[in-house]
Amino acid sequence: MTSVLSHELDLAGLARMGLLLAVIWWMYGGYAWLTNAVPPRKTSTRGLLVLAMVAYVVLAISVPSAFEANRWAFAAAYLVIVLVHSGVFLTTAHPSNRQGTPRVLPWNLTVPLLTRPGTFDLRPSPKRNRHSVERHGLVLTRPGTFDLRPSPKRNRHSVERHGLVLIIAFGESVVAIGIGEAGLEVTPGLIVAAALPMVTLAGLWWGYFAGDSEKRAEATLTTAEPFRRTRLSLIGYGHCYLPLFGGIIVLAAGVKTAVAHPEDALSAPAALAVGGGMALYLVGDVLLRLGSNWTRCVAAVLAAASTVVGATESAVAQLAVLAAVVVLLVAAEHLARQPGGVPSSR
C-alpha cells in the first residue's frame, strides 16, 4: 500500500490506499474474531487457516496492481478468504456466532463481486465503499449477531494479535523506506534522513505499548456484557485501527519520497504526507484509548504543522521536527506515569 501511495501521492492515490486498507483490515479483524470463537485445535481447522494464509499472500502480491491487471487475482483471493472465514465460523458451537455468519456473509462477499470488470473496477468511490463498510458494521453490531468470548485468555490473544500486526506495520514501513533509499549515494545527509524516521517510528511504537493499556483493554473486554464487548472490539480494534494503519502508510510513503532528496524542500503533497501521516496516526491512537490525551492531541497538531517546514525548508528539517515531537511526547508521558512526576530509579 505504501508503494501504491508513493507512486500516486495525491487524493486519488489516497482514496485507493484507503479502500484497500479498509477491505483488507476488515477481514483481518474477522479472522481475529474467528480464532477467538474457534481455537484452531483441529487439523481440519488448521488446514483451512493455512489455505486462507495462502490466499492472503496472493492478495498481498496483487495489491500494487489491484486497480488494474491484478483485479481478478485480488478478487479471487479475497473470495477464498471470505469463504474460509465463514466456513470455519459455522463449526463453532456458540449459537449466536453460527447464526450471525449468514447475516454478515453477503456483505463480506460484496468486495469480490464489485471487483468484477464492468461492474466496479476498484476505482475509488468513497461514498459507495463507505456505505459498504458501514453496512458491515451495522450488521455486526446487531445484538446477538456475534459474541466475543468472556475469557481472559482469549481476550488477551485478541488484544495481542492487534498489537502484533501493528508492530509488523511499523517494520514494513521501515522496509519501504529502505527500498526508497536503494541505489542512492550514502552521504551524511542521507544517513541523517534515514535515522530520523527510525527515531519517529520507534517513538510511536513506544507510545502505543507503554504503560498497562493492553492489560486494561483485556480487563474491559472480559468484564463487559456481551453486546458492549462486541461493540467495543468493533469500534476500537476495527474502526480506530484504520487511522493508525493509514497514518503509518501515509507517513512511510512521504518519508520514502523525502529521503531521496533530504536537503531539498518537499512538494506540498509529500510534506503533507509526512506531517499528516503522523498526525493521523496520533488521532487514531487517541480515539482507540477512548479518552482526551492532551499530549498526543498537541503532538498531532505539531506534526500537521510540520508540513510548512518540509514545504519551505527541507525534508530533513521536517523529519527532525517530527523526531523531536515524538521524543518530547514519550518523555512527557513517561514522567507523568511516575509518582509525583519524577522518574523512578528503575
Side-chain angles (χ1 to χ4, degrees):
M1 294 182 206
T2 299
S3 297
V4 171
L5 184 59
S6 63
H7 287 97
E8 195 175 4
L9 204 54
D10 53 24
L11 291 178
L14 186 63
R16 295 181 184 185
M17 183 277 293
L19 172 57
L20 287 173
L21 177 60
V23 299
I24 293 173
W25 179 245
W26 174 259
M27 285 312 302
Y28 177 85
Y31 273 83
W33 285 49
L34 172 64
T35 49
N36 176 277
V38 189
R41 298 192 183 102
K42 296 181 181 179
T43 302
S44 58
T45 303
R46 292 178 179 177
L48 287 171
L49 290 178
V50 170
L51 174 61
M53 289 164 61
V54 173
Y56 263 111
V57 171
V58 175
L59 191 80
I61 61 178
S62 303
V63 162
S65 299
F67 306 105
E68 297 161 355
N70 289 337
R71 64 165 66 93
W72 276 109
F74 186 95
Y78 202 91
L79 179 62
V80 172
I81 290 166
V82 168
L83 293 178
V84 170
H85 175 264
S86 297
V88 177
F89 239 130
L90 289 173
T91 66
T92 179
H94 201 286
S96 67
N97 287 332
R98 250 195 346 266
Q99 295 164 8
T101 301
R103 297 180 189 175
V104 76
L105 177 59
W107 298 106
N108 287 347
L109 290 173
T110 300
V111 172
L113 289 177
L114 289 179
T115 57
R116 187 178 62 189
T119 303
F120 184 60
D121 64 353
L122 270 180
R123 299 290 173 178
S125 174
K127 181 178 179 181
R128 189 172 181 179
N129 294 309
R130 182 174 66 250
H131 173 73
S132 177
V133 174
E134 287 173 351
R135 288 294 296 165
H136 279 74
L138 288 174
V139 170
L140 189 57
T141 53
R142 288 176 183 169
T145 301
F146 283 96
D147 289 327
L148 287 174
R149 297 293 184 88
S151 163
K153 181 179 180 181
R154 293 192 180 186
N155 288 319
R156 182 172 65 251
H157 286 171
S158 180
V159 173
E160 286 175 347
R161 285 188 187 102
H162 288 89
L164 288 172
V165 78
L166 191 66
I167 291 176
I168 292 172
F170 279 126
E172 289 299 321
S173 67
V174 173
V175 172
I177 295 169
I179 292 173
E181 298 170 346
L184 299 177
E185 181 184 357
V186 179
T187 63
L190 181 64
I191 294 173
V192 173
L196 290 172
M198 300 302 104
V199 174
T200 301
L201 292 171
L204 295 178
W205 163 83
W206 195 331
Y208 181 91
F209 291 99
D212 59 350
S213 58
E214 286 193 311
K215 292 182 179 179
R216 292 202 304 271
E218 295 165 15
T220 300
L221 291 177
T222 302
T223 58
E225 54 89 16
F227 177 65
R228 183 169 181 268
R229 179 166 56 249
T230 298
R231 193 167 184 81
L232 282 174
S233 185
L234 175 68
I235 294 173
Y237 292 116
H239 302 340
C240 293
Y241 252 65
L242 286 174
L244 285 174
F245 279 114
I248 293 173
I249 294 168
V250 173
L251 173 62
V255 172
K256 188 176 179 181
T257 302
V259 296
H261 304 283
E263 297 177 1
D264 298 336
L266 292 170
S267 65
L272 186 58
V274 175
M278 179 169 156
L280 180 61
Y281 173 90
L282 290 170
V283 168
D285 189 71
V286 171
L287 293 174
L288 176 65
R289 296 170 194 276
L290 299 176
S292 54
N293 187 313
W294 69 268
T295 53
R296 300 192 183 202
C297 291
V298 171
V301 172
L302 293 175
S306 73
T307 300
V308 178
V309 177
T312 59
E313 297 297 329
S314 67
V316 72
Q318 184 179 12
L319 296 176
V321 169
L322 292 187
V325 168
V326 167
V327 169
L328 291 174
L329 171 64
V330 171
E333 294 189 348
H334 176 74
L335 289 173
R337 285 193 295 269
Q338 307 308 316
V342 179
S344 66
S345 59
R346 290 189 301 173

